[in-house]
Amino acid sequence: MRIGVVTFPGTLDDRDAARAVKYAGAEAVSLWHGDADLKGVDAVILPGGFSYGDYLRCGAISSFAPVMTEIIAQANKGMPVLGICNGFQVLCEAHLLPGALTRNHELHFLCRDQTLKIENTTSAWTTNFTKGQEIVIPLKNGEGSFQCDDETLKALEDSNRIIARYVGENPNGSRNLIAGITNERGNVVGLMPHPEHAIDSLTGPTTDGLPFFTSVLSALVGK
Amino acid sequence: MGKIVVDVMLKPEILDPQGKAVAAALPRLGFSFATDVRQGKRFEITVDGDVTPAQIAEVEKAAEVLLANPVIETFTVRSE
């Protein structure tokens, strides 16, 4: 199983994402933003960071990178795609996911261990969780407030497309405490907190992030 | 040389924490006039010669796909 990890100029978490893929038992394949070539990977991760310096809007310029043309085409055919933090912003800008991520409501950049409640265990990236499971993984962003119109919010809620919610106080002003969502098909997932930083207790607060990466392998094997 | 100006604003229902921070700072400096502040973006696009309606139409398209995010923002295009 080969999982691509995209590097844009300004990406920070590509190495940790690749490490998480290896921990899960798959091969990590580096993909470059400027190449419209997915190297035959089975799934793709858009990691966190500050691609293109967050210029214009977070993820806006990255969403037009040559590699994204291929990713959008494959995602629409069902290839699993996980966008973490900046990757989530890219997926929203690319219209693979609805809504948008805006400035944290208190304006501060946040960096802390965050408790989440897993709500959807049917997406390609969450089958190895149990519904209602609480996990602790790092949250670090300046623009993580999930916003969308009322109609979209209702559609997300009604079709069980909320992947995870923040537990406790709303850290960034996201509507309905949303930390992550998926598309209708369940193959594209965007998540604001960082599971790739929580796969080994030596380097992270927990190992709670690992099931995101093992779930996709189960999804691909079952295909 | 002509100039096309694109103003981008967050939709009224989208929370604008930057605008709120500015609104909170004004009274601290003795400016008491503001009941609300919204912060936006302005793009100034230079073109050769006078601005044509076709160029305005093209910029409107560009604003729709790149300069603004229609999910959370509105925009206006005009020549100046």
Side-chain angles (χ1 to χ4, degrees):
Chain A
M1 218 56 79
R2 302 170 77 238
I3 299 183
V5 178
V6 179
T7 301
F8 297 98
T11 294
L12 298 178
D13 299 325
D14 42 349
R15 287 184 178 226
D16 269 20
R19 178 167 168 262
V21 166
K22 285 176 209 155
Y23 266 55
E27 180 189 348
V29 178
S30 293
L31 300 177
W32 182 240
H33 73 105
D35 295 335
D37 177 9
L38 300 188
K39 300 182 182 173
V41 295
D42 302 294
V44 166
I45 296 173
L46 303 175
F50 299 86
S51 59
Y52 291 92
D54 277 352
Y55 292 169
L56 188 60
R57 295 178 305 276
C58 301
I61 297 179
S62 313
S63 68
F64 296 104
V67 76
M68 284 306 297
T69 310
E70 290 301 306
I71 290 172
I72 292 167
Q74 292 302 318
N76 285 328
K77 289 182 196 164
M79 183 181 75
V81 178
L82 173 64
I84 303 166
C85 193
N86 187 218
F88 186 7
Q89 295 162 340
V90 173
L91 290 175
C92 287
E93 284 283 346
H95 306 301
L96 283 173
L97 292 174
L101 284 313
T102 63
R103 192 67 62 104
N104 293 347
H105 68 335
E106 300 287 2
L107 282 171
H108 302 292
F109 188 95
L110 297 175
C111 184
R112 67 191 204 196
D113 296 334
Q114 174 71 43
T115 304
L116 306 178
K117 189 173 175 188
I118 301 289
E119 301 263 333
N120 170 314
T121 55
T122 56
S123 84
W125 300 89
T126 52
T127 49
N128 288 354
F129 288 103
T130 52
K131 197 169 169 64
Q133 185 178 344
E134 292 201 357
I135 66 171
V136 176
I137 63 176
L139 175 71
K140 52 175 184 125
N141 64 71
E143 305 204 12
S145 177
F146 180 79
Q147 300 297 323
C148 62
D149 58 32
D150 293 343
E151 195 184 336
T152 306
L153 189 65
K154 186 172 186 315
L156 287 170
E157 292 285 357
D158 289 352
S159 53
N160 187 32
R161 285 165 58 194
I162 314 296
I163 288 290
R165 280 184 229 270
Y166 301 112
V167 173
E169 198 185 339
N170 194 331
N172 50 27
S174 289
R175 296 200 73 178
N176 290 17
L177 293 161
I178 288 173
I181 58 170
T182 184
N183 62 346
E184 280 173 27
R185 197 165 177 166
N187 62 309
V188 179
V189 167
L191 192 67
M192 195 36 66
H194 290 264
E196 80 283 16
H197 296 328
I199 56 158
D200 184 326
S201 53
L202 180 68
T203 52
T206 62
T207 58
D208 291 351
L210 194 57
F212 284 97
F213 305 95
T214 56
S215 292
V216 72
L217 301 187
S218 313
L220 289 167
V221 167
K223 202 167 61 170
Chain B
M1 278 198 303
K3 192 158 83 180
I4 301 172
V5 175
V6 182
D7 286 315
V8 177
M9 291 300 296
L10 280 173
K11 287 180 179 174
E13 67 269 27
I14 301 290
L15 180 71
D16 175 15
Q18 293 185 100
K20 273 174 67 178
V22 173
L26 286 170
R28 290 203 293 273
L29 300 172
F31 299 109
S32 55
F33 48 80
T35 56
D36 190 26
V37 178
R38 304 282 291 174
Q39 182 177 324
K41 280 182 209 148
R42 172 185 165 112
F43 299 86
E44 297 184 348
I45 300 165
T46 306
V47 297
D48 280 336
D50 288 338
V51 174
T52 65
Q55 286 171 330
I56 293 276
E58 273 208 289
V59 169
E60 277 176 353
K61 265 193 249 171
E64 186 83 32
V65 295
L66 179 66
L67 302 182
N69 178 351
V71 175
I72 49 169
E73 294 169 328
T74 57
F75 63 86
T76 57
V77 179
R78 65 177 191 277
S79 62
E80 199 170 80

